[in-house]
Amino acid sequence: MCSLQELCSGLPLRPLPENRGRRAGVPHAPVRTPGLSPAEEQLALKNALRYFPPDVQEVLAPEFAQELRLYGHIYMYRFCPDLEMRAYPVERYPCRTRAAAAIMLMIMNNLDPAVAQFPQELVTYGGNGQVFSNWAQFWLTMSYLAQMTEEQTLVMYSGHPLGLFPSSPEAPRLVITNGMVIPNYSSRTEYEKLFAMGVTMYGQMTAGSYCYIGPQGIVHGTVLTVLNAGRRYLGLQDLAGKVFVTSGLGGMSGAQAKAAVIVGCIGVIAEVDGAALMKRHRQGWLMEVTDSLDRCIERLREARKRKEVLSLGYHGNVVDLWERLVHELDTTGELLVDLGSDQTSCHNPFNGGYYPVQLGFAEAQGLMASDPTAFKSLVQESLRRHVSAINRLAREHFFFWDYGNAFLLEAQRAGADVGKPGANRTEFRYPSYVQHIMGDIFSQGFGPFRWVCTSGDPQDLAVTDRLATSALEEIVAAGVTPAVKLQYVDNIRWIQEAAKHQLVVGSQARILYSDQKGRVAIAVAFNQAIARGELKAPVVLSRDHHDVSGTDSPFRETSNIYDGSAFCADMAVQNFVGDAFRGATWIALHNGGGVGWGEVINGGFGLVLDGTEDAEQKARRVLSWDVANGVARRCWSGSPMAYEVICQTMREDSGMVVTLPHAVTDERLLQALRL
């Protein structure tokens, strides 16, 4: 077993590590079918071999060629490190800068088998959210980070470490771009070829920016979504006895079971992959499991009657579950579900993101590789059945929303009945959760702020929970609007109870939805605690790219932008660039994420707090811009909540000057058009 010191010393070449291939007992990514021509296969092999000197290429060439034939990609399994992959305490990494050591910790957390969906294929979540394209890139990146000084920046091209380049202490230590393909060539088919050739990759949102913190990262957002869905659709603050049905327990979707318990409802989550389902059960995120539809319905009825808090995993296809719920309604008149959604990786529907109801899990994986055309046809038929069942239930007092996974978009492409009369291109029969729930939250500047205690000590995490609670309580005490206060109250309750729910998987991390003022206050409190020695090591700040400013995504994050700019990506790019020169430790810009390749541009950052005055000033600058950028954009798109927040921010910050939009009446528009 190698050490961290060896891991940071470059590619192990003499001798070459033993080629153990794919490891048994570990979930693996589905086989890809990129459809490369013979010339493209040669290019893919050449691109993989160029990481290695000529004297080892003769050994590596045949096995890399075999990987390409068997799996549709060259992962370089021989170089999968022989050590326990996890977030080690930051002081154990052999680095010349604290920032580099913190980045190493974050990378290894993304590849921790307890965190990653397919660790040997370097996939963190979402079915194809890569940290790197192959293991050679991992080794070289760790080596560069170990060498890095405060006068250098590491440049990453879609997983490929281009090298260390001279910069300055004020510049980011790491700049990442993933999937930056020329727009006319940013199709799903083109991506499969480019990824197979090793020249681009799908970084999802926080996989390829090294900021994933396990399913906890989406637990809080799911809690807020279900909580506010109950308020909006059911008119309830208390969801006891109410049933939420959904699917997906693999990556980020694994958060749904835990969220159902936290909000106090009954969550029934279908999952076709038994390994993924049992992983969540072992982690304590899923209370009960069954592979029997009869037992599932029986248990659901019991829980509704007793108003139990329950997370029940159904090992099977969610379409079967939805159709059974329709059968119960039609035969007994009993509606057994109140709220519903879907969190399969439907952005990647034909390569393992969505499994058709007509086939078992293993059979589907086989057909996916042997006959992609037939598999696609079955997926689309399954989507039509899926939507048909939901439509039947929705005629009763049942409410469904799209969870931003491209479910309705792919269903529409499959010919399912999801249309809405008079709708624009981003609207369907059912709303995106951004349109009805998260959009207003984003407009107020609230989004998924995160931090990681690099000491690895749970006690440090407990200290940060306490500091964050105090910071938010002080802001509320100083006075905020009623709408903003509601968000603060929800989030203070969350952070006070977070430790009770055993949310940590991997690094000692926490998520908390907060606005600009709250994020800055929390960061300053953390930095001062590090300076006092109250926290034992630096803290990394980051966020999900699914945030106020980070993402331009017309079918999710910006689906409630109605000024015609929903398909424009200026905000995400400006966010990335602005965070860079304001002091972020690293920054990332991605094509693809959440709703699919070519459908979204998203940007993220990481910021290391080390207790210095310089770190505090960087935090103030970065966190203020990182939120204000998106609120200002929403203000211009017509959000009254964003308008109010921007006006308040300008009153408090003399450095901010924003041109505010003027109201335009429908009467004035109609008169002008008549002229």
Side-chain angles (χ1 to χ4, degrees), residues 126-192:
N128 60 351
Q130 304 285 148
V131 185
F132 299 101
S133 180
N134 58 58
W135 284 106
Q137 294 175 349
F138 169 82
W139 285 89
L140 290 171
T141 300
M142 298 295 277
S143 174
Y144 280 134
L145 289 168
Q147 301 171 49
M148 176 191 288
T149 71
E150 293 287 346
E151 303 286 340
Q152 293 173 310
T153 293
L154 175 59
V155 177
M156 303 293 299
Y157 275 28
S158 291
H160 169 68
L162 194 66
L164 291 168
F165 294 86
S167 59
S168 71
E170 290 74 36
R173 298 279 67 79
L174 178 65
V175 176
I176 304 165
T177 52
N178 285 313
M180 291 292 108
V181 173
I182 303 300
N184 278 358
Y185 303 91
S186 191
S187 68
R188 186 177 286 154
T189 301
E190 196 70 30
Y191 164 72
E192 290 297 338

Coordinates of all heavy atoms in Angstrom, one line a residue, residues 126-192:
G126 N -23.9 11.4 -10.1 CA -24.6 11.7 -11.3 C -24.4 10.8 -12.5 O -24.8 11.1 -13.6
G127 N -23.7 9.6 -12.2 CA -23.5 8.6 -13.3 C -22.3 8.9 -14.1 O -21.6 8.0 -14.6
N128 N -21.9 10.2 -14.4 CA -20.8 10.5 -15.2 C -20.1 11.8 -14.8 O -19.4 12.4 -15.5 CB -21.2 10.7 -16.7 CG -22.3 11.8 -16.9 OD1 -22.8 12.3 -15.9 ND2 -22.5 12.1 -18.1
G129 N -20.2 12.2 -13.5 CA -19.6 13.3 -13.0 C -18.1 13.0 -12.6 O -17.9 12.5 -11.5
Q130 N -17.2 13.3 -13.5 CA -15.8 12.9 -13.3 C -15.0 13.9 -12.5 O -15.2 15.1 -12.6 CB -15.1 12.8 -14.7 CG -15.8 11.9 -15.7 CD -15.5 10.4 -15.4 OE1 -16.4 9.6 -15.7 NE2 -14.4 10.1 -14.8
V131 N -14.1 13.3 -11.7 CA -13.0 14.1 -11.0 C -11.9 14.3 -12.0 O -11.3 15.4 -12.1 CB -12.6 13.5 -9.7 CG1 -11.6 14.4 -9.0 CG2 -13.7 13.1 -8.8
F132 N -11.5 13.2 -12.6 CA -10.5 13.2 -13.7 C -11.0 12.3 -14.8 O -11.9 11.5 -14.5 CB -9.1 12.8 -13.2 CG -8.5 13.7 -12.1 CD1 -8.6 13.3 -10.8 CD2 -7.9 14.9 -12.4 CE1 -8.0 14.1 -9.8 CE2 -7.4 15.7 -11.4 CZ -7.4 15.3 -10.1
S133 N -10.3 12.3 -15.9 CA -10.7 11.4 -17.0 C -10.0 10.0 -16.8 O -10.5 9.0 -17.3 CB -10.3 12.0 -18.3 OG -10.6 11.2 -19.4
N134 N -8.8 10.0 -16.2 CA -8.0 8.8 -16.0 C -7.1 9.0 -14.8 O -6.9 10.1 -14.3 CB -7.2 8.4 -17.3 CG -6.3 9.5 -17.7 OD1 -5.4 9.9 -16.9 ND2 -6.4 10.0 -18.9
W135 N -6.5 7.8 -14.4 CA -5.7 7.9 -13.1 C -4.4 8.5 -13.3 O -3.8 9.0 -12.3 CB -5.6 6.4 -12.6 CG -6.8 6.0 -11.9 CD1 -7.7 5.1 -12.4 CD2 -7.3 6.4 -10.6 NE1 -8.8 5.0 -11.5 CE2 -8.5 5.8 -10.4 CE3 -6.8 7.4 -9.7 CZ2 -9.3 6.0 -9.2 CZ3 -7.6 7.6 -8.5 CH2 -8.8 6.9 -8.3
A136 N -3.8 8.6 -14.5 CA -2.6 9.3 -14.8 C -2.8 10.8 -14.4 O -1.9 11.4 -13.8 CB -2.1 9.2 -16.2
Q137 N -3.9 11.4 -14.8 CA -4.2 12.8 -14.4 C -4.2 13.0 -12.9 O -3.7 14.0 -12.4 CB -5.5 13.2 -15.1 CG -5.5 13.2 -16.6 CD -6.8 13.5 -17.2 OE1 -7.8 13.5 -16.5 NE2 -6.8 13.7 -18.5
F138 N -4.8 12.0 -12.2 CA -4.8 12.1 -10.7 C -3.4 12.2 -10.2 O -3.0 13.1 -9.4 CB -5.5 10.9 -10.1 CG -5.4 10.8 -8.7 CD1 -6.2 11.5 -7.8 CD2 -4.4 9.9 -8.1 CE1 -6.0 11.4 -6.4 CE2 -4.3 9.8 -6.7 CZ -5.1 10.5 -5.9
W139 N -2.5 11.3 -10.6 CA -1.1 11.2 -10.0 C -0.4 12.5 -10.4 O 0.3 13.1 -9.5 CB -0.4 10.0 -10.6 CG -0.7 8.7 -10.0 CD1 -1.7 7.9 -10.5 CD2 -0.1 8.1 -8.9 NE1 -1.8 6.7 -9.7 CE2 -0.8 6.8 -8.7 CE3 0.9 8.4 -8.1 CZ2 -0.4 5.9 -7.7 CZ3 1.3 7.5 -7.1 CH2 0.6 6.3 -6.9
L140 N -0.5 13.0 -11.6 CA 0.2 14.2 -12.0 C -0.3 15.4 -11.3 O 0.5 16.3 -10.8 CB 0.1 14.4 -13.5 CG 0.9 13.3 -14.4 CD1 0.5 13.5 -15.8 CD2 2.4 13.5 -14.2
T141 N -1.6 15.5 -11.1 CA -2.2 16.6 -10.3 C -1.7 16.7 -8.9 O -1.3 17.7 -8.4 CB -3.7 16.6 -10.4 OG1 -4.1 16.6 -11.7 CG2 -4.3 17.7 -9.6
M142 N -1.7 15.5 -8.3 CA -1.2 15.4 -6.9 C 0.3 15.8 -6.8 O 0.8 16.5 -5.9 CB -1.4 14.0 -6.3 CG -2.8 13.6 -6.2 SD -3.8 14.6 -5.0 CE -3.4 13.8 -3.5
S143 N 1.1 15.4 -7.8 CA 2.5 15.8 -7.8 C 2.7 17.3 -8.0 O 3.5 17.9 -7.3 CB 3.2 15.0 -9.0 OG 4.5 15.5 -9.1
Y144 N 1.9 17.9 -8.9 CA 2.0 19.3 -9.1 C 1.6 20.1 -7.9 O 2.3 21.1 -7.5 CB 1.1 19.8 -10.3 CG 1.6 19.5 -11.6 CD1 0.9 18.9 -12.6 CD2 2.9 19.9 -12.0 CE1 1.3 18.7 -13.9 CE2 3.4 19.7 -13.3 CZ 2.6 19.1 -14.2 OH 3.1 18.9 -15.5
L145 N 0.6 19.7 -7.2 CA 0.1 20.3 -6.0 C 1.2 20.3 -4.9 O 1.4 21.2 -4.1 CB -1.2 19.7 -5.5 CG -2.4 20.1 -6.3 CD1 -3.6 19.2 -5.9 CD2 -2.8 21.5 -6.2
A146 N 1.9 19.1 -4.8 CA 3.0 19.0 -3.8 C 4.1 19.9 -4.1 O 4.8 20.4 -3.1 CB 3.5 17.5 -3.8
Q147 N 4.4 20.2 -5.3 CA 5.5 21.1 -5.7 C 5.1 22.6 -5.6 O 6.0 23.5 -5.5 CB 5.9 20.9 -7.1 CG 6.4 19.4 -7.4 CD 6.6 19.2 -8.9 OE1 7.2 20.1 -9.6 NE2 6.0 18.2 -9.5
M148 N 3.8 22.9 -5.7 CA 3.4 24.3 -5.9 C 3.8 25.2 -4.9 O 3.9 24.9 -3.7 CB 1.8 24.3 -6.0 CG 1.2 25.6 -6.1 SD -0.6 25.5 -5.8 CE -1.1 24.7 -7.4
T149 N 4.2 26.5 -5.3 CA 4.4 27.6 -4.3 C 3.3 28.6 -4.4 O 2.4 28.5 -5.3 CB 5.8 28.2 -4.7 OG1 5.7 29.0 -5.9 CG2 6.9 27.2 -4.8
E150 N 3.4 29.6 -3.6 CA 2.4 30.7 -3.6 C 2.6 31.6 -4.8 O 1.8 32.5 -5.0 CB 2.5 31.5 -2.3 CG 2.1 30.8 -1.1 CD 0.6 30.6 -1.0 OE1 -0.1 31.3 -1.8 OE2 0.2 29.8 -0.2
E151 N 3.7 31.3 -5.6 CA 3.9 32.1 -6.8 C 3.5 31.4 -8.1 O 3.9 31.8 -9.2 CB 5.4 32.5 -6.9 CG 6.0 33.2 -5.7 CD 5.5 34.7 -5.7 OE1 5.1 35.2 -6.7 OE2 5.6 35.3 -4.6
Q152 N 2.7 30.3 -7.9 CA 2.4 29.5 -9.1 C 0.9 29.2 -9.1 O 0.2 29.2 -8.0 CB 3.1 28.2 -9.1 CG 4.6 28.3 -9.3 CD 5.3 27.0 -9.1 OE1 5.1 26.3 -8.1 NE2 6.2 26.6 -10.1
T153 N 0.4 28.9 -10.3 CA -1.0 28.5 -10.5 C -1.0 27.2 -11.3 O -0.4 27.2 -12.4 CB -1.9 29.6 -11.2 OG1 -2.0 30.7 -10.3 CG2 -3.3 29.1 -11.5
L154 N -1.8 26.2 -10.9 CA -2.0 25.0 -11.6 C -3.2 25.2 -12.6 O -4.2 25.6 -12.1 CB -2.2 23.8 -10.7 CG -2.5 22.5 -11.3 CD1 -1.4 22.0 -12.3 CD2 -2.7 21.4 -10.2
V155 N -3.0 24.8 -13.8 CA -4.0 25.0 -14.9 C -4.5 23.6 -15.3 O -3.8 22.7 -15.6 CB -3.5 25.7 -16.1 CG1 -4.5 25.8 -17.2 CG2 -3.0 27.1 -15.7
M156 N -5.9 23.4 -15.2 CA -6.5 22.1 -15.5 C -7.4 22.2 -16.7 O -8.3 23.0 -16.7 CB -7.3 21.7 -14.3 CG -6.6 21.5 -13.0 SD -5.4 20.2 -13.0 CE -6.4 18.8 -13.3
Y157 N -7.1 21.4 -17.7 CA -7.9 21.4 -19.0 C -8.7 20.1 -18.9 O -8.2 19.0 -19.3 CB -7.0 21.3 -20.2 CG -6.5 22.6 -20.8 CD1 -6.3 23.8 -20.0 CD2 -6.2 22.7 -22.1 CE1 -5.8 24.9 -20.5 CE2 -5.7 23.9 -22.7 CZ -5.5 25.0 -21.9 OH -5.0 26.2 -22.4
S158 N -10.0 20.2 -18.5 CA -10.9 19.0 -18.5 C -10.2 17.7 -18.0 O -10.1 16.7 -18.6 CB -11.4 18.7 -20.0 OG -12.2 19.7 -20.4
G159 N -9.7 17.9 -16.8 CA -9.0 16.7 -16.1 C -7.5 16.7 -16.3 O -6.8 16.1 -15.5
H160 N -7.0 17.3 -17.4 CA -5.6 17.2 -17.7 C -4.9 18.4 -17.0 O -5.2 19.5 -17.3 CB -5.4 17.3 -19.2 CG -4.0 17.5 -19.7 ND1 -3.0 16.6 -19.5 CD2 -3.4 18.6 -20.2 CE1 -1.9 17.0 -20.0 NE2 -2.1 18.3 -20.4
P161 N -3.9 18.0 -16.2 CA -3.1 19.1 -15.6 C -2.1 19.7 -16.6 O -1.0 19.0 -16.9 CB -2.4 18.4 -14.4 CG -2.3 17.0 -14.8 CD -3.5 16.7 -15.8
L162 N -2.4 20.8 -17.1 CA -1.5 21.4 -18.1 C -0.1 21.8 -17.6 O 0.9 21.7 -18.2 CB -2.2 22.7 -18.7 CG -1.6 23.2 -20.0 CD1 -1.7 22.2 -21.2 CD2 -2.2 24.5 -20.4
G163 N -0.1 22.2 -16.3 CA 1.2 22.5 -15.6 C 1.1 23.6 -14.7 O 0.0 24.3 -14.5
L164 N 2.2 23.9 -14.0 CA 2.3 25.0 -13.0 C 2.9 26.2 -13.8 O 3.9 26.1 -14.5 CB 3.2 24.7 -11.9 CG 2.7 23.6 -10.9 CD1 3.9 23.2 -10.0 CD2 1.6 24.2 -10.1
F165 N 2.2 27.4 -13.6 CA 2.7 28.5 -14.3 C 2.9 29.7 -13.3 O 2.2 29.8 -12.3 CB 1.6 28.9 -15.4 CG 1.5 28.0 -16.5 CD1 0.7 26.9 -16.4 CD2 2.3 28.1 -17.7 CE1 0.5 25.9 -17.4 CE2 2.2 27.1 -18.7 CZ 1.3 26.1 -18.5
P166 N 3.8 30.6 -13.6 CA 4.1 31.7 -12.7 C 2.8 32.6 -12.5 O 2.2 32.9 -13.5 CB 5.2 32.5 -13.3 CG 5.9 31.5 -14.2 CD 4.8 30.6 -14.7
S167 N 2.5 33.0 -11.3 CA 1.4 33.9 -11.1 C 1.8 34.8 -9.9 O 2.9 35.5 -9.9 CB 0.1 33.2 -10.9 OG 0.2 32.3 -9.8
S168 N 1.0 34.9 -8.9 CA 1.2 35.7 -7.7 C 0.5 35.1 -6.5 O -0.5 34.4 -6.7 CB 0.8 37.1 -8.0 OG -0.6 37.2 -8.0
P169 N 0.8 35.5 -5.3 CA 0.1 35.1 -4.1 C -1.4 35.5 -4.2 O -2.2 34.8 -3.6 CB 0.8 35.8 -3.0 CG 2.2 36.0 -3.5 CD 2.0 36.3 -4.9
E170 N -1.7 36.6 -4.9 CA -3.1 37.0 -4.9 C -4.0 36.2 -5.9 O -5.2 36.3 -5.9 CB -3.2 38.5 -5.3 CG -2.7 39.4 -4.2 CD -1.1 39.4 -4.1 OE1 -0.5 39.2 -5.2 OE2 -0.6 39.5 -3.0
A171 N -3.3 35.5 -6.8 CA -4.0 34.8 -7.9 C -4.5 33.4 -7.3 O -4.0 32.9 -6.3 CB -3.1 34.5 -9.1
P172 N -5.5 32.8 -8.0 CA -5.9 31.5 -7.6 C -4.7 30.5 -7.7 O -3.9 30.6 -8.7 CB -7.0 31.1 -8.6 CG -7.5 32.4 -9.1 CD -6.3 33.4 -9.1
R173 N -4.7 29.5 -6.8 CA -3.7 28.5 -6.9 C -4.1 27.4 -8.0 O -3.2 26.7 -8.5 CB -3.5 27.8 -5.6 CG -3.1 28.7 -4.4 CD -1.5 28.9 -4.5 NE -1.1 29.7 -5.6 CZ -1.2 31.0 -5.7 NH1 -1.7 31.7 -4.7 NH2 -0.7 31.6 -6.7
L174 N -5.3 27.4 -8.4 CA -5.8 26.4 -9.3 C -7.0 27.0 -10.1 O -7.9 27.6 -9.6 CB -6.3 25.2 -8.5 CG -6.9 24.0 -9.2 CD1 -5.9 23.3 -10.0 CD2 -7.5 23.0 -8.2
V175 N -6.9 26.8 -11.5 CA -7.9 27.2 -12.4 C -8.4 26.0 -13.2 O -7.5 25.4 -13.8 CB -7.4 28.3 -13.3 CG1 -8.5 28.7 -14.3 CG2 -7.0 29.6 -12.5
I176 N -9.6 25.7 -13.1 CA -10.2 24.5 -13.7 C -11.2 24.8 -14.8 O -12.1 25.7 -14.5 CB -10.9 23.6 -12.6 CG1 -10.0 23.2 -11.5 CG2 -11.5 22.3 -13.3 CD1 -10.7 22.7 -10.3
T177 N -11.1 24.2 -15.9 CA -12.2 24.3 -16.9 C -12.5 22.8 -17.3 O -11.6 22.0 -17.4 CB -11.9 25.1 -18.2 OG1 -10.6 24.6 -18.7 CG2 -11.7 26.6 -17.8
N178 N -13.8 22.5 -17.4 CA -14.2 21.2 -17.8 C -15.3 21.3 -18.9 O -16.3 22.0 -18.8 CB -14.9 20.5 -16.6 CG -13.8 20.0 -15.7 OD1 -12.8 19.4 -16.0 ND2 -14.1 20.2 -14.4
G179 N -15.0 20.6 -20.0 CA -16.0 20.5 -21.1 C -16.2 21.7 -21.9 O -17.3 21.9 -22.5
M180 N -15.2 22.6 -22.0 CA -15.4 23.8 -22.7 C -15.3 23.6 -24.2 O -14.3 23.9 -24.9 CB -14.4 24.9 -22.3 CG -14.6 25.4 -20.9 SD -16.1 26.4 -20.7 CE -17.2 25.3 -19.8
V181 N -16.4 23.0 -24.8 CA -16.5 22.6 -26.2 C -17.1 23.7 -27.0 O -18.0 24.4 -26.5 CB -17.3 21.3 -26.3 CG1 -17.5 21.0 -27.8 CG2 -16.5 20.2 -25.6
I182 N -16.7 24.0 -28.2 CA -17.3 25.0 -29.1 C -18.8 24.7 -29.1 O -19.2 23.5 -29.4 CB -16.7 24.9 -30.5 CG1 -15.1 25.1 -30.4 CG2 -17.3 25.9 -31.4 CD1 -14.7 26.4 -29.8
P183 N -19.6 25.7 -28.9 CA -21.1 25.4 -28.8 C -21.7 24.6 -29.9 O -22.5 23.7 -29.6 CB -21.7 26.9 -28.8 CG -20.6 27.7 -28.2 CD -19.3 27.1 -28.7
N184 N -21.4 24.8 -31.2 CA -22.0 24.0 -32.2 C -21.6 22.5 -32.2 O -22.2 21.7 -32.9 CB -21.6 24.5 -33.6 CG -22.4 25.7 -34.0 OD1 -23.3 26.1 -33.3 ND2 -22.1 26.3 -35.1
Y185 N -20.6 22.1 -31.3 CA -20.2 20.8 -31.2 C -20.5 20.2 -29.9 O -20.0 19.1 -29.5 CB -18.7 20.6 -31.6 CG -18.4 21.2 -33.0 CD1 -18.1 22.5 -33.1 CD2 -18.6 20.4 -34.1 CE1 -17.9 23.1 -34.4 CE2 -18.3 20.9 -35.4 CZ -18.0 22.3 -35.5 OH -17.8 22.8 -36.8
S186 N -21.3 20.9 -29.1 CA -21.6 20.5 -27.7 C -22.8 19.6 -27.7 O -23.7 19.8 -26.9 CB -21.8 21.7 -26.8 OG -21.8 21.3 -25.5
S187 N -22.8 18.5 -28.5 CA -23.9 17.6 -28.5 C -23.5 16.4 -27.6 O -22.4 16.1 -27.4 CB -24.2 17.1 -29.9 OG -23.2 16.3 -30.4
R188 N -24.6 15.6 -27.2 CA -24.3 14.4 -26.4 C -23.5 13.4 -27.2 O -22.5 12.8 -26.6 CB -25.7 13.8 -26.0 CG -25.6 12.7 -25.0 CD -27.0 12.2 -24.6 NE -27.6 13.1 -23.7 CZ -28.9 13.2 -23.6 NH1 -29.7 12.5 -24.4 NH2 -29.4 14.1 -22.7
T189 N -23.7 13.2 -28.4 CA -23.0 12.2 -29.2 C -21.5 12.7 -29.4 O -20.6 11.9 -29.2 CB -23.6 12.1 -30.7 OG1 -24.9 11.7 -30.5 CG2 -22.8 11.1 -31.5
E190 N -21.3 14.0 -29.6 CA -20.0 14.5 -29.7 C -19.2 14.3 -28.4 O -18.0 14.0 -28.4 CB -20.0 15.9 -30.2 CG -18.7 16.5 -30.7 CD -18.3 15.9 -32.1 OE1 -19.2 15.5 -32.8 OE2 -17.1 15.7 -32.3
Y191 N -19.9 14.6 -27.3 CA -19.3 14.4 -26.0 C -18.7 13.0 -25.8 O -17.6 12.8 -25.3 CB -20.2 14.8 -24.9 CG -19.7 14.3 -23.6 CD1 -18.6 14.9 -23.0 CD2 -20.2 13.2 -22.9 CE1 -18.0 14.5 -21.8 CE2 -19.6 12.7 -21.8 CZ -18.6 13.3 -21.2 OH -18.0 12.8 -20.0
E192 N -19.5 12.0 -26.1 CA -19.1 10.6 -25.9 C -17.8 10.3 -26.6 O -16.9 9.7 -26.1 CB -20.2 9.7 -26.3 CG -21.5 9.7 -25.4 CD -21.2 9.3 -24.0 OE1 -20.2 8.6 -23.7 OE2 -22.0 9.6 -23.1

